[in-house]
Amino acid sequence: MKKLIVFLLLLAVLQFPLTLLNPFGPTIFPVAPILNKNVTGNVDLTVEFWKNLDDVIAKVATKYAKFVVLPITTAANLYTKGIDIKLVGVHEWKVFYLVSNTDFKGLKSLKGKTVYSAHGRGQTVDVLLRYLLTKEGLIPDKDVKFAYAPPQEIVALFNSGKISFAALPEPFVTMCLSKGKIVLDFQEEWNKISNSKLGIPIAGLFVIGDISKYKNTILEVEKIFKESVSYANTHVDESLEITSKYLPIPKPILKKSLERTQFKYVSDCKDEVSKFLETMHNLYKEGIPKIPDEGFYLK
């Protein structure tokens, strides 16, 4: 009887509405086709936005939803702290750059300077920049200072000339380019370190709690999510129009930023993600204190 129940669970597709928690920001673009019902499937999938990590971490911990889009590093840390969360696939691979409005002659020229980052200490760009500085013989926090702030605030400070270096994701990079230029592509630097051709596994789709037992439901949600990413990439103007209904950033800036952004759904990404997390752990243990075991990966 137990085997029969498990078998039926595997075959079942849940018929009640399912919620996908998605970051509020430029990552609305790849789910815009779901929001606009351009892409649908055999499950009733509703998208809700999360605006900060504290908000989404609380919702994941209380199993508020069954599916969530999260930064890989954040999800890995939640998993190693005992939260029941599993990676389904990665869809964001390229978005981070260092911009400058003054002379930049390589990373050594950052000595004595402050780099502003929109991501907190221990997150992807922070760890990568600290590693790259160390390779150049500089000591992070001593030779180069770090400051953290919301991206909109960093853009305002940069464009007013009050700061000279900012590590930002798109489209905030594009918003700085009238007053400065890109001096470092973090994806290119990661590819040199890892020999990856995909870029940085930045964010992806995760399942929360016992929904992982419902294989067919997960496959259906994954199919919708993958088709949404593909639809957005092939119907850019239409998807930007939808995105702009939620995000108060001008469409021309969003469109320009897509030239330096890559959304591409990859389900077979365990090797890429595990190598990324192991490298982040080795580079900066404060950011990734533990490496997730096999249970972190749904596939």
Side-chain angles (χ1 to χ4, degrees):
M1 179 59 75
K2 185 177 180 182
K3 288 183 178 178
L4 177 62
I5 293 172
V6 171
F7 179 70
L8 291 173
L9 279 175
L10 290 176
L11 288 179
V13 175
L14 295 181
Q15 296 304 314
F16 55 79
L18 296 167
T19 299
L20 167 66
L21 301 173
N22 190 76
F24 181 81
T27 44
I28 292 175
F29 175 76
V31 298
I34 300 175
L35 290 164
N36 202 45
K37 305 296 185 187
N38 297 113
V39 173
T40 59
N42 293 324
V43 295
D44 183 4
L45 188 63
T46 300
V47 177
E48 289 187 18
F49 300 126
W50 58 264
K51 292 190 174 181
N52 59 66
L53 285 177
D54 289 340
D55 171 33
V56 72
I57 287 171
K59 287 180 175 175
V60 171
T62 57
K63 300 178 182 176
Y64 171 84
K66 304 296 185 185
F67 297 88
V68 61
V69 171
L70 282 176
I72 300 301
T73 51
T74 300
N77 287 336
L78 287 176
Y79 176 83
T80 57
K81 290 177 181 176
I83 302 297
D84 188 3
I85 186 171
K86 296 180 188 299
L87 174 66
V88 185
V90 171
H91 77 314
E92 188 175 16
W93 297 91
K94 184 178 181 182
V95 76
F96 294 118
Y97 300 87
L98 179 67
V99 295
S100 170
N101 56 18
T102 187
D103 286 341
F104 178 83
K105 298 177 180 176
L107 287 163
K108 285 185 177 177
S109 64
L110 290 177
K111 186 171 184 177
K113 311 295 184 185
T114 298
V115 177
Y116 279 72
S117 175
H119 280 229
R121 186 181 176 95
Q123 293 192 34
T124 306
V125 168
D126 186 67
V127 174
L128 271 178
L129 184 54
R130 287 170 185 272
Y131 171 69
L132 295 171
L133 292 172
T134 303
K135 278 184 64 180
E136 293 294 326
L138 299 175
I139 302 173
D141 296 320
K142 180 180 177 183
D143 293 328
V144 180
K145 302 296 184 185
F146 287 75
Y148 307 101
Q152 297 88 342
E153 183 178 332
I154 293 176
V155 170
L157 290 169
F158 186 88
N159 287 339
S160 67
K162 293 180 179 176
I163 66 173
S164 296
F165 299 97
L168 289 166
E170 284 289 6
F172 303 103
V173 171
T174 297
M175 296 167 75
C176 290
L177 294 186
S178 64
K179 299 293 183 179
K181 63 181 180 180
I182 294 171
V183 296
L184 187 76
D185 179 331
F186 283 100
Q187 290 71 209
E188 284 184 5
E189 297 302 321
W190 168 250
N191 289 346
K192 291 176 190 174
I193 296 169
S194 66
N195 293 319
S196 172
K197 294 180 180 178
L198 291 171
I200 301 172
I202 298 165
L205 175 67
F206 292 83
V207 293
I208 304 168
D210 60 6
I211 190 69
S212 60
K213 296 175 183 175
Y214 293 84
K215 184 177 179 181
N216 281 7
T217 299
I218 293 170
L219 287 174
E220 189 62 27
V221 172
E222 183 183 27
K223 177 173 173 285
I224 294 170
F225 190 81
K226 182 179 180 179
E227 287 182 3
S228 182
V229 175
S230 177
Y231 188 99
N233 286 330
T234 53
H235 299 74
V236 171
D237 289 331
E238 181 182 355
S239 299
L240 285 175
E241 187 70 35
I242 301 161
T243 304
S244 65
K245 292 179 182 176
Y246 301 90
L247 200 63
I249 295 176
K251 279 185 289 184
I253 289 177
L254 287 173
K255 189 168 185 176
K256 192 68 180 174
S257 75
L258 290 175
E259 296 175 4
R260 287 177 289 273
T261 305
Q262 185 177 40
F263 292 111
K264 178 182 178 181
Y265 187 79
V266 180
S267 58
D268 184 15
C269 57
K270 180 180 174 183
D271 290 344
E272 288 279 342
V273 173
S274 62
K275 186 171 187 177
F276 170 70
L277 292 174
E278 286 175 13
T279 305
M280 292 295 102
H281 171 73
N282 292 331
L283 298 180
Y284 190 63
K285 289 184 172 54
E286 287 181 53
I288 304 290
K290 292 181 180 178
I291 301 172
D293 61 22
E294 289 287 317
F296 181 61
Y297 304 93
L298 187 69
K299 304 170 184 173

